[in-house]
Amino acid sequence: MERVAGGFPPGHQDGTGPEARFKWPTDVAIADDFTAWVADFGNNCIRRIGADGRVSTVAGDGQAGFADGTGSAARFDGPNGIALGRDGNLYVADAGNARIRKMTPGGSVTTVAGDGTRGHRDGPAGFARFNYPTGIAAAPDGTLYVVDRWDHRVRVIHPDGTVGTVAGDGKPGFVDGPAARFNNPLSAVWDAHWGLVVTDSGNQAVRRIDSGGTVTTLAGGSPGDADGVGAAARFHWVTGIAGDGRGNLYLADTLNFRVRRMDRQRRVERVAGSGIQGVTDGPGTIARFAFMTGLERDPAGNLWVTDSKAAAVRRIMRGSLTVQGESPIRTARTRSPSEP
């Protein structure tokens, strides 16, 4: 475990590595050239970490608001989950604005869907409504999946811009099947092995949604701190999620202060974190986290962590994550949430 950028005290400052300052970073997305994009929730902006470790502000002026535009002319209100699309653009769950936004690599921001009024309404992009979108996942065909936390639903934005509902009926609960219910779901990933997987934080569970909208619980379902297979595993506010496309899912078990891994047999085990809150770099279970929200694998197989309360972006090197037969091929990206 090492710190990539940021740290105490929180703030808004560009610079290299620990010189930079973030304010409650919630998610990270990493391009094939190792450029890292960060949703800086508390600063209402999108930041960039270059391969040299230098942090710069790409879009947003630090003030909460809503405006399309380029660079500091754009405004966000609590950008939360982010996803890189196959088109090279960054898609943002702009939670406070109840909208989904798109940012080009050059920092030009436009609105993809949502009219800015909180609610639940499917239909054309500008007509649709979201409640509080916190997570977003990009599928290979250009489809976007949105985790609408306060609406307890998972939504979809089709390539033609039409918004629909994938799963959930708007009422909190814990039900599998075609008439599923969620409880404060926070983030999602599109994984080559599992498909669409959601962290259902209020239910302490990891859940899969198939192509027909049927929901299955893969692991968890009760609060606690335990490794195990399927329902025997226990989480405490599971938030960020990343996949490797081979069946391994990495999970931010936030209030257990651990990073966990679920393999394709649904066996859950810890890979980092002592279980004690703090900010300590070091190997495996020596490391400590303050309050994680986002996870992402880079092209080399390293795992990046947005440790929100530590105001830092941190990285777990691949050597401590490797499982038998794994290769550094990244086929999925992570989306993440905000504080409970």
Side-chain angles (χ1 to χ4, degrees), residues 188-242:
V189 67
W190 178 270
D191 179 77
H193 176 77
W194 293 106
L196 182 62
V197 183
V198 176
T199 56
D200 190 3
S201 303
N203 284 320
Q204 321 296 342
V206 180
R207 305 178 76 186
R208 176 180 181 267
I209 306 174
D210 71 15
S211 59
T214 296
V215 176
T216 305
T217 298
L218 299 178
S222 299
D225 181 7
D227 292 340
V229 178
R234 296 286 185 268
F235 304 101
H236 192 185
W237 200 252
V238 58
T239 57
I241 182 170

Side-chain angles (χ1 to χ4, degrees), residues 10-30:
H12 187 188
Q13 178 175 304
D14 291 340
T16 301
E19 298 173 356
R21 290 290 178 266
F22 300 93
K23 187 178 181 182
W24 205 266
T26 49
D27 202 9
V28 58
I30 304 173

Side-chain angles (χ1 to χ4, degrees), residues 248-312:
N248 297 298
L249 296 174
Y250 295 90
L251 306 159
D253 192 0
T254 301
L255 293 180
N256 281 323
F257 311 108
R258 303 186 194 276
V259 175
R260 317 281 288 279
R261 177 176 56 214
M262 188 195 80
D263 65 20
R264 63 194 305 160
Q265 286 76 42
R266 300 192 296 144
R267 182 179 302 279
V268 176
E269 60 183 353
R270 67 197 69 178
V271 296
S274 68
I276 300 171
Q277 187 177 32
V279 185
T280 303
D281 291 336
T285 56
I286 299 299
R288 291 185 179 184
F289 301 98
F291 190 99
M292 298 173 286
T293 50
L295 297 179
E296 171 69 303
R297 279 173 56 93
D298 69 20
N302 305 309
L303 191 68
W304 294 52
V305 182
T306 48
D307 196 348
S308 303
K309 195 168 186 176

Side-chain angles (χ1 to χ4, degrees), residues 66 94-100 111 113-119 121 125-131:
F66 171 72
D94 191 2
N97 281 318
R99 291 178 169 101
I100 305 304
T111 298
D115 71 354
T117 300
R118 295 195 188 283
R121 192 162 70 185
F127 175 81
R129 289 182 176 174
F130 301 91
N131 198 327

